[in-house]
Amino acid sequence: SIAFRPASENDLDSIHRIYNDAVIRTIATWDEEPWDWDRRLEWWEEHESPGCPVVVAADAMGTVVGFASLPPEQQEWLAVHS
């Protein structure tokens, strides 16, 4: 089974691996090159503010197998249009 929970800084390695794999193997992102670690840390800092949650999906063993987030710009749009 899959459980969803708020991401923590401990999940960043998994998030980074999953995202970069998607960049390389799919068309699921707009990025054409994998992110470096500094960019991932900047992304995490942007998402630590309230209203920019990151959620991870973890399997029964606790392994992170996916994640989701909203960019700060989307949060601003939602606040204006809600």
Side-chain angles (χ1 to χ4, degrees):
S1 70
I2 300 294
F4 298 93
R5 62 172 174 75
S8 73
E9 196 166 346
N10 292 335
D11 298 316
L12 280 180
D13 283 335
S14 296
I15 290 169
H16 192 63
R17 179 185 44 77
I18 291 165
Y19 189 85
N20 281 343
D21 183 68
V23 170
I24 293 167
R25 299 176 189 269
T26 74
I27 57 171
T29 79
W30 289 102
D31 290 307
E32 296 178 353
E33 297 293 327
W35 286 21
D36 63 28
W37 187 247
D38 288 336
R39 186 169 179 194
R40 178 59 57 208
L41 291 176
E42 289 173 17
W43 173 88
W44 179 250
E45 289 173 8
E46 290 173 358
H47 287 81
E48 284 187 305
S49 64
C52 295
V54 179
V55 177
V56 294
D59 66 14
M61 300 297 289
T63 302
V64 174
V65 295
F67 74 96
S69 67
L70 288 177
E73 307 82 46
Q74 184 69 32
Q75 291 297 325
E76 293 169 14
W77 185 90
L78 288 172
V80 169
H81 293 89
S82 60

